[in-house]
Amino acid sequence: MSRPGAEGGDGRPRTVEVLTAWFETRAGGLLVPLAAAILAFLAGGLVVLFTGNNPLGVYKAIFDGTGLTYLFPWVQGSERATAARNLQQTLLVATPLMLTAIAVAFAFRCGMFNIGGQGQYWIGLIAALVVGTHVDLPPALHVPACILAAIVAGAIWGGVAGVLKATVGAHEVISTIMLNWIAIFGGKYLFELGGPLQGEEEFIPRSNDVTASAKLPAIWGTLQPLHAGIFVALAALVVYHLLLNRTTLGYEVRAVGFNPEAARYGGISVSRNYFLAMAIAGTFAGLAGALDLLGWKFRVATNDFDVGMLGFIGIAVALLGRNKAVGILFAALFFAALQVGTSTRQLDPTVFPPALAVNLATIIQALIILFVGAEILIVSLWGARRYVRRGRRVRAQPAGGSGGAA
Amino acid sequence: MSTGRTMLAHGRTALEPRRLAIIGIALAALAVWTALPPWMIRWEGVPVALGLLAAAAGLAAVTRGERRLGSWALALAGVATVAAIWAQTKDESSLGAVLNTGLLAATLRFATPLAFAALGGLFSERSGVVNIGLEGMMLMGAFFGIWATIWSGSWVVGVLCAMVFGGLLAAVHAVFSIHLRADQIVSGFAMNFLALGLTGYLFISIYGLQGTPPGVDRIPDVHLGFLHDLPALGGLLGPVFGQLNLLIWVVLALVVIVHVVIFRTAIGLRIRAVGEHPRAADTVGISVSRVRYGAVILSGMLAALGGAYLSVGFVGSFGQNMTAGRGFIALAALIFGKWKPIPTFGACLLFGFASGLAQRLQAEADISANLISTLPYILVLAALVGVVGRSVPPAAVGRPYVKQ
């Protein structure tokens, strides 16, 4: 994109101006999320400060809990071992987050807001659990069978919201929230004492473990190790990118998301794409549930349903990652680190109580969602005057000016 | 589309399919009634036969163009038959423990927080701003209501403080969705997260893990002893209305007030104009952003009242995320009530009834509490399907207005 303002005196653009122009066109995608994250941490720091804690100390403790110190070569000995364990947890949490974020992002690109990731995640997990505990298969088949069950279940749960939107125009925000609660209470019912899927232990409201043949192999660590599911999640990011940008389906989904009326006039079935986009979104969220179950949870208890937040954090991940595969990858790592760094197990309670830190993480997530959503705020903070000046110069130019106002 | 077809059918055949559908709904109700006192019929054939008749009437209505009421008759026929057959397995005393005047009072109790939030959302959405942050605004009200009550020792201060902080959160939503033109759904969603984190953080840092202290000053109940002494109706009115929380009476009054304000006053006209056609409103000199700011902030204050009712009025304590999705059910009630105050309140009563029934059934009957808890949400989904093609939001809802 050549900008009229970026031309030098001899008509050829100067290197500096080319670079600035490139930065401004390209880096907008990076700038807004970064600025949003920084603003959110600053605001979170203020909350910490006002309640009588040292924000720098708190953030340092959270950072130490994320395990990212493992990447520093000077961290050695027992510290390094702890950092490795923490980093395994961060990657463990990032795995489902990438997938629940795709579930949000895919629906977003079709013009829908899928808040149902949490419910789709649970339904996928439950389906995988049923196959993992009630079916006997050789290891080579058992894991794929569980995953297949999960993605079908997730697709159905997401698809219901899609069908409701496509046929009776029910807003997907309402219907997916209702489907979340149905999945949560329905799930609790299945595993409660006397529930249909309660495990062998009579007085514990939880399921049996999935059989050994249905467990994903561990790849790093010993105590709650990182499992092979992260490769599946990374592959899903590639699939998401290709599906959206290299297939007819993806084209239609994006067309509907961009302008449903125009898509309809272009011969694209809007309602079909609403359904498909939600069903595919549910597929990814269901997969997240399956990977969590087969990778490290192995079973589910009723109180898990009360605390599950991965589907909701996936919304923040998708927004911060701007619905792009690469963006989702880094945003998922970021939020997973935040999640792990503030968890009871990783955060040093003498520095900051984890019960507070969990809520601090929620505040930071909320602010990031808010700031990324209000792009205009950050763009206007970022050199508002320069944009205005350039706009004037473009308008003042004669009609023959190349490029025009982009 | 379907509305048009329905109206055409109305033109040709007068009210006949509509009457058929109403007969179907009545038959479904009759099917349940036969299993209850004083009839206590204990033979499955009766509800099955009545249910089939109801379904037939509903189907006939649907095929003749009355899709909405007809599908209600069909759905109710199914639910009623199952409910009646289940009720037949119970004796009179256990049925009486579930279905009594207490259930009606519970309905009002559960509907009140929903109604506050839904009426708040009505202002916001009528002015053209989607507010899915109602849940967060309720939560703000719940926390700051109890915080100020404990701090001052008076529930009056608590309720006022709840409204202030609910309004503050709404003001943030307003700035982002009106001034900064952020996606209103994204902004509203962020409000919910923000309130969840903020109230959770302050709750833990102020009260610690043991929670709010006992003996909090509560919003009082209104005792109307004379209702019990009324002839004939005293047996019904006394237990239902004789001892209700003050805020329940407030919400009942509020429904009427909101109706009058929205449909009978200049302010209401402005709010509606801004929500339906902001450009036209702007042209005649109404400040679109000022009306929207006012409506959104008011919605936060009302939602916060609903939250304060939960904490200061109902339980006298606070728990993290204690609103548990009520803001979203309020939003569904608003859609179900077609953005009109009285039907919206009706929808709140319906959801309140479902919650009250769920609570009683899990206490009295041998049904899983968790399974019963899904009932209100299934009902919302059914309601979304039931209002097929009839629930039209304000035209400009969700769209930021750029002044030219």
Side-chain angles (χ1 to χ4, degrees):
Chain A
M1 290 240 287
S2 77
R3 281 160 176 270
E7 283 172 20
D10 55 352
R12 275 173 50 217
R14 271 185 277 138
T15 323
V16 180
E17 285 174 336
V18 170
L19 279 179
T20 347
W22 176 86
F23 182 75
E24 276 171 8
T25 47
R26 285 268 144 191
L30 200 64
L31 178 79
V32 172
L34 275 181
I38 292 168
L39 278 178
F41 271 98
L42 284 177
L46 283 181
V47 175
V48 175
L49 195 64
F50 282 138
T51 48
N53 286 289
N54 173 11
L56 287 180
V58 168
Y59 282 146
K60 165 126 195 347
I62 291 175
F63 183 75
D64 287 343
T66 63
L68 291 173
T69 46
Y70 182 82
L71 303 174
F72 301 150
W74 62 82
V75 174
Q76 287 300 335
S78 69
E79 261 184 70
R80 190 168 181 78
T82 313
R85 266 204 308 282
N86 290 346
L87 188 58
Q88 287 153 20
Q89 292 311 302
T90 296
L91 295 175
L92 200 69
V93 175
T95 302
L97 272 187
M98 289 179 214
L99 293 163
T100 51
I102 297 175
V104 178
F106 199 82
F108 245 131
R109 296 305 293 269
C110 196
M112 285 181 292
F113 194 32
N114 175 19
I115 304 191
Q118 191 64 53
Q120 295 147 17
Y121 169 94
W122 284 127
I123 295 294
L125 186 142
I126 291 166
L129 185 90
V130 171
V131 177
T133 52
H134 287 63
V135 179
D136 271 327
L137 282 171
L141 289 176
H142 209 169
V143 170
C146 292
I147 287 179
L148 185 69
I151 63 180
V152 169
I156 292 173
W157 213 245
V160 169
V163 165
L164 287 182
K165 171 143 183 129
T167 55
V168 300
H171 201 293
E172 74 280 359
V173 168
I174 304 286
S175 57
T176 51
I177 288 167
M178 295 306 127
L179 287 165
N180 279 348
W181 286 106
I182 295 171
I184 288 168
F185 283 114
K188 288 172 79 162
Y189 158 72
L190 290 176
F191 304 104
E192 69 185 4
L193 298 180
L197 289 176
Q198 194 213 348
E200 281 155 2
E201 287 154 296
E202 201 180 343
F203 299 108
I204 305 179
R206 70 175 180 215
S207 72
N208 285 332
D209 279 22
V210 292
T211 56
S213 58
K215 291 179 181 175
L216 282 164
I219 57 169
W220 185 28
T222 45
L223 196 83
Q224 209 177 81
L226 180 64
H227 57 82
I230 191 164
F231 298 126
V232 181
L234 291 173
L237 280 176
V238 177
V239 169
Y240 165 69
H241 178 78
L242 295 178
L243 189 62
L244 200 59
N245 298 306
R246 295 279 183 275
T247 66
T248 317
L249 173 74
Y251 172 77
E252 290 194 0
V253 161
R254 282 182 296 137
V256 171
F258 192 66
N259 186 338
E261 285 307 310
R264 201 192 315 271
Y265 280 113
I268 294 170
S269 164
V270 174
S271 43
R272 176 173 167 271
N273 278 289
Y274 279 153
F275 164 68
L276 281 179
M278 283 305 289
I280 291 170
T283 304
F284 285 108
L287 180 60
L291 294 185
D292 260 3
L293 180 82
L294 309 177
W296 66 278
K297 281 191 156 115
F298 306 132
R299 63 183 173 214
V300 67
T302 48
N303 53 2
D304 291 341
F305 289 94
D306 296 323
V307 294
M309 286 289 278
L310 289 172
F312 297 118
I313 301 172
I315 295 167
V317 173
L319 282 168
L320 187 64
R322 305 220 125 198
N323 305 324
K324 303 247 167 53
V326 178
I328 289 173
L329 172 64
F330 285 105
L333 287 172
F334 172 76
F335 277 113
L338 190 61
Q339 203 68 18
V340 170
T342 54
S343 67
T344 320
R345 220 169 348 151
Q346 271 77 18
L347 182 65
D348 185 353
T350 56
V351 181
F352 197 56
L356 282 181
V358 170
N359 285 306
L360 178 66
T362 309
I363 293 175
I364 291 173
Q365 280 157 18
L367 293 174
I368 289 177
I369 296 175
L370 193 59
F371 294 146
V372 174
E375 214 172 305
I376 191 169
L377 170 74
I378 285 159
V379 171
S380 64
L381 283 178
W382 170 261
R385 258 181 271 135
R386 279 168 56 195
Y387 272 94
V388 173
R389 225 184 297 142
R390 178 171 303 117
R392 273 204 208 108
R393 218 188 309 163
V394 171
R395 255 176 269 131
Q397 269 188 348
S402 65
Chain B
M1 288 181 307
S2 57
T3 324
R5 230 183 296 142
T6 316
M7 279 161 59
L8 270 181
H10 271 286
R12 273 203 305 274
T13 58
L15 279 172
E16 204 184 319
R18 196 178 164 76
R19 208 171 293 158
L20 262 175
I22 291 170
I23 290 170
I25 292 172
L27 281 172
L30 189 66
V32 178
W33 196 27
T34 57
L36 304 178
W39 304 100
M40 297 299 287
I41 291 171
R42 289 288 171 267
W43 178 55
E44 289 88 347
V46 176
V48 169
L50 286 171
L52 283 175
L53 277 175
L59 198 64
V62 169
T63 52
R64 288 190 187 138
E66 181 52 56
R67 276 181 62 180
R68 197 170 67 92
L69 273 181
S71 37
W72 271 109
L74 267 174
L76 286 176
V79 175
T81 312
V82 174
I85 290 173
W86 176 80
Q88 286 193 354
T89 62
K90 305 287 162 192
D91 59 28
E92 192 160 349
S93 65
S94 59
L95 282 177
V98 174
L99 304 165
N100 52 26
T101 47
L103 179 60
L104 295 178
T107 299
L108 278 173
R109 239 170 252 136
F110 281 107
T112 298
L114 301 179
F116 274 118
L119 291 174
L122 190 140
F123 276 106
S124 173
E125 304 223 339
R126 276 281 181 180
S127 81
V129 180
V130 179
N131 192 353
I132 70 165
L134 287 174
E135 169 87 6
M137 291 159 200
M138 288 180 87
L139 203 52
M140 291 292 270
F143 175 75
F144 285 99
I146 202 123
W147 171 75
T149 305
I150 292 170
W151 170 74
S152 69
S154 154
W155 63 267
V156 181
V157 179
V159 166
L160 291 177
C161 186
M163 290 175 75
V164 167
F165 278 88
L168 268 180
L169 190 71
V172 176
H173 178 55
V175 170
F176 274 84
S177 50
I178 300 168
H179 196 76
L180 297 171
R181 303 201 294 274
D183 186 317
Q184 294 171 6
I185 290 184
V186 172
S187 166
F189 187 76
M191 289 307 114
N192 292 333
F193 249 62
L194 189 60
L196 182 64
L198 205 59
T199 57
Y201 187 98
L202 293 174
F203 175 64
I204 299 281
S205 77
I206 295 173
Y207 302 108
L209 292 169
Q210 63 272 27
T212 47
V216 177
D217 188 35
R218 300 255 296 270
I219 301 170
D221 288 346
V222 177
H223 293 273
L224 298 174
F226 68 89
L227 281 177
H228 289 275
D229 308 328
L230 284 181
L233 285 173
L236 179 67
L237 291 180
V240 178
F241 294 103
Q243 189 186 347
L244 287 178
N245 193 281
L246 179 63
L247 281 189
I248 298 182
W249 289 106
V250 172
V251 90
L252 290 173
L254 202 61
V255 174
V256 180
I257 294 170
V258 173
H259 177 82
V260 172
V261 167
I262 288 282
F263 293 115
R264 295 274 182 279
T265 66
I267 296 172
L269 184 62
R270 284 178 180 200
I271 292 174
R272 283 182 290 140
V274 163
E276 294 290 344
H277 203 313
R279 179 126 303 144
D282 196 10
T283 315
V284 298
I286 299 170
S287 165
V288 174
S289 65
R290 199 180 300 165
V291 171
R292 285 189 173 174
Y293 267 103
V296 173
I297 291 171
L298 183 62
S299 83
M301 293 167 79
L302 288 179
L305 260 183
Y309 167 79
L310 283 177
S311 63
V312 190
F314 202 41
V315 287
S317 64
F318 180 82
Q320 289 196 55
N321 197 14
M322 81 179 292
T323 47
R326 283 185 183 84
F328 292 112
I329 297 193
L331 213 55
L334 183 61
I335 295 174
F336 193 31
K338 299 171 196 165
W339 291 268
K340 291 180 190 141
I342 293 168
T344 297
F345 183 65
C348 291
L349 284 178
L350 186 64
F351 297 138
F353 179 76
S355 302
L357 191 65
Q359 184 207 35
R360 273 154 187 277
L361 279 177
Q362 68 200 36
E364 297 294 335
D366 192 21
I367 296 183
S368 156
N370 287 317
L371 195 59
I372 284 287
S373 298
T374 62
L375 191 65
Y377 307 104
I378 294 174
L379 196 68
V380 173
L381 274 186
L384 285 175
V385 181
V387 292
V388 44
R390 295 285 235 124
S391 195
V392 184
V397 84
R399 271 188 245 137
Y401 176 66
V402 188
K403 201 176 163 78
Q404 282 184 331

